[in-house]
Amino acid sequence: NPTVSGGASGWNLYTWITTYMFFEGTMRSLFSLLFGVGMFILLDRLEKKGAGIEAANIYFRRLTWLLVFGLIHGYLLLWPGEILFNYALMGFLVFSFRKMAPKKLIIISIVLISIGTLWEYSRYTDDIKLVAEVEMAQQYKTEGKALTKDLKEAHEKWTKLKYEKSPEAIQEFENNMHKGYFDLVEFLAPINTHYNENDPYRFDVWDVLSMMLLGIAFFKLNILSGEKSYQFYAVMAIVGYGIGLLVNYYEVNLIMESGFSYLGFSKSFLTYYIGKTTVEIGHIGLILLFCKIPILNWLKKSLAAVGKMALTNYVMHSVFALFIFTGVGFGLFGKLQRHELLYVVFSIWVFQLILSPIWLKYFQFGPLEWLWRNLSYQKKHPFRK
């Protein structure tokens, strides 16, 4: 909610709109989709080499270590929004789907997204009820009437929600983020625990698992390897963006016209999964068109290098953010306007686009990729080229 922090006017508002329209949820979806593909390729190659049951051992060891990396990343590198823990849990489920035909995988993915959408509808109806009860409670208090049990609970819940967006609560959160490392670990641990306990059941099955299965289907259909025609990817981009950006535009207008209200945000989630998934499909079409067109090969090589070091680069973001934003380093948490955050984003992008190809010129893997590989296969692999 840009009215709570970061600025909701001028360039800050434009940044929020652009982020919501093109990137909100879609980057996570792409990451999930490609992660599913990566795990499928790992298993497929091992099985074709005749690894037998050892293929499953390596696969599940790999995911178990990823889960450990996720816990370290969240609790010790202080990123409660981390995704590795969730990927590991959903990856355990992917194993059972790997042999399915693309059509079945796409159908299951659509079913999962539909369940998530129905859950959001259920939450929205609960939120309508909550707001109505809060208004009734306010009316009762004005008239001097005693509140019923339900109205008391609604009033208490609303008071808590309201406080979380108050200047006092925001200032308290910022003060905690400016503390030293061990104080930060203690402060963020309960948030990490809440996400780890809640998200796998509340969001990940339709947000993460659905995309992993869709990725495997797209891979089996030779879509992700660039083997389709220019026309195919152009249509993919046009249809994906045509539907997705229309849905996201509707959501942005809905939120803004509601004055960034609680119900406005809640209602926007009714179409959230549709919007982010179709924009993601548009991204895939555009990216693969770019891959096929013989231009900017230097940039393609840099992007490929970043991708080969995806785990290292992902965790590196948190290391940078730890020193940029918290009391461990410069303490800029809450100090930058929303559009100023883009300077941080672009700086890290440029750094990784330069560093990754240089690193891979001398080393076989990124450092975390190498460690993960050794732990998965239980043997040491060559590091330097």
Side-chain angles (χ1 to χ4, degrees):
N1 185 341
T3 63
V4 172
S5 183
S9 60
W11 284 109
N12 294 321
L13 181 61
Y14 297 145
T15 302
W16 179 82
I17 292 171
T18 303
T19 304
Y20 198 107
M21 289 285 291
F22 291 94
F23 307 115
E24 167 56 37
T26 65
M27 298 296 103
R28 185 177 65 255
S29 290
L30 275 175
F31 201 9
S32 303
L33 182 142
L34 292 172
F35 181 87
V37 173
M39 298 310 290
F40 170 78
I41 291 173
L42 171 76
L43 271 173
D44 189 53
R45 285 178 178 172
L46 287 169
E47 289 175 345
K48 285 176 179 175
K49 289 178 181 178
I53 193 66
E54 183 60 19
N57 291 339
I58 293 169
Y59 179 86
F60 287 111
R61 241 188 339 258
R62 190 169 173 82
L63 288 172
T64 301
W65 279 111
L66 187 72
L67 188 145
V68 173
F69 289 164
L71 292 173
I72 294 169
H73 186 207
Y75 285 89
L76 300 183
L77 291 180
L78 309 179
W79 176 222
E82 89 88 30
I83 199 82
L84 303 178
F85 176 87
N86 312 66
Y87 280 2
L89 293 180
M90 294 303 107
F92 290 137
L93 300 178
V94 166
F95 184 85
S96 302
F97 295 91
R98 71 192 190 283
K99 298 289 188 182
M100 283 188 176
K103 185 178 178 180
K104 286 185 178 179
L105 289 169
I106 292 170
I107 290 171
I108 294 170
S109 181
I110 291 170
V111 169
L112 292 177
I113 291 169
S114 300
I115 293 171
T117 300
L118 285 172
W119 195 317
E120 293 303 334
Y121 177 77
S122 174
R123 185 180 73 162
Y124 176 57
T125 56
D126 288 343
D127 288 341
I128 292 173
K129 182 183 176 185
L130 172 65
V131 170
E133 287 178 338
V134 168
E135 290 174 354
M136 189 177 292
Q138 190 60 46
Q139 186 180 337
Y140 271 41
K141 289 175 76 175
T142 303
E143 295 172 358
K145 294 180 183 178
L147 298 181
T148 64
K149 182 185 175 183
D150 287 346
L151 292 182
K152 277 183 183 177
E153 289 177 357
H155 178 70
E156 288 170 4
K157 184 176 180 181
W158 189 256
T159 301
K160 184 182 177 183
L161 287 169
K162 203 171 179 182
Y163 173 74
E164 288 172 355
K165 296 180 181 180
S166 68
E168 295 80 14
I170 293 167
Q171 190 59 56
E172 182 186 351
F173 197 98
E174 287 184 12
N175 291 341
N176 277 302
M177 292 301 291
H178 294 153
K179 290 180 179 178
Y181 178 74
F182 292 105
D183 288 327
L184 272 168
V185 171
E186 183 181 0
F187 172 63
L188 292 175
I191 301 174
N192 267 301
T193 302
H194 170 74
Y195 285 156
N196 289 345
E197 291 175 347
N198 180 67
D199 286 9
Y201 308 98
R202 174 63 184 88
F203 299 106
D204 290 349
V205 176
W206 26 90
D207 191 294
V208 175
L209 180 60
S210 65
M211 293 301 104
M212 289 181 176
L213 300 182
L214 189 65
I216 295 171
F218 281 4
F219 182 77
K220 287 184 174 184
L221 291 169
N222 298 322
I223 292 172
L224 299 181
S225 51
E227 294 177 45
K228 300 294 184 181
S229 66
Y230 285 98
Q231 185 181 7
F232 179 90
Y233 294 118
V235 169
M236 197 174 180
I238 292 166
V239 173
Y241 286 139
I243 297 171
L245 294 179
L246 195 64
V247 171
N248 287 358
Y249 181 73
Y250 156 77
E251 291 173 4
V252 165
N253 270 313
L254 178 70
I255 293 167
M256 291 176 65
E257 287 176 4
S258 74
F260 297 93
S261 70
Y262 179 77
L263 275 184
F265 274 101
S266 182
K267 190 175 182 181
S268 73
F269 273 94
L270 296 178
T271 52
Y272 176 74
Y273 292 107
I274 299 168
K276 81 175 183 68
T277 304
T278 46
V279 169
E280 171 199 16
I281 289 170
H283 287 340
I284 292 169
L286 187 64
I287 290 166
L288 285 163
L289 267 179
F290 171 66
C291 288
K292 285 175 72 71
I293 298 171
I295 56 169
L296 300 175
N297 287 330
W298 61 270
L299 179 57
K300 291 175 187 175
K301 287 178 182 177
S302 290
L303 288 167
V306 170
K308 288 175 183 176
M309 294 174 57
L311 179 61
T312 296
N313 281 322
Y314 174 62
V315 173
M316 195 191 300
H317 296 165
S318 299
V319 175
F320 278 133
L322 176 66
F323 287 99
I324 293 169
F325 293 106
T326 73
V328 176
F330 298 106
L332 292 179
F333 188 93
K335 304 297 184 185
L336 300 179
Q337 296 182 60
R338 187 174 296 269
H339 78 273
E340 291 175 326
L341 292 171
L342 295 180
Y343 307 149
V344 178
V345 173
F346 292 136
S347 298
I348 293 174
W349 281 7
V350 170
F351 177 80
Q352 293 188 334
L353 283 167
I354 294 171
L355 174 69
S356 299
I358 294 174
W359 178 275
L360 290 177
K361 187 177 179 181
Y362 299 101
F363 299 94
Q364 299 278 2
F365 313 98
L368 287 184
E369 283 76 13
W370 178 76
L371 175 62
W372 192 21
R373 190 177 182 88
N374 290 345
L375 292 169
S376 300
Y377 287 87
Q378 293 189 325
K379 67 177 183 180
K380 187 176 179 182
H381 292 78
F383 192 34
R384 290 187 64 91
K385 284 190 176 176

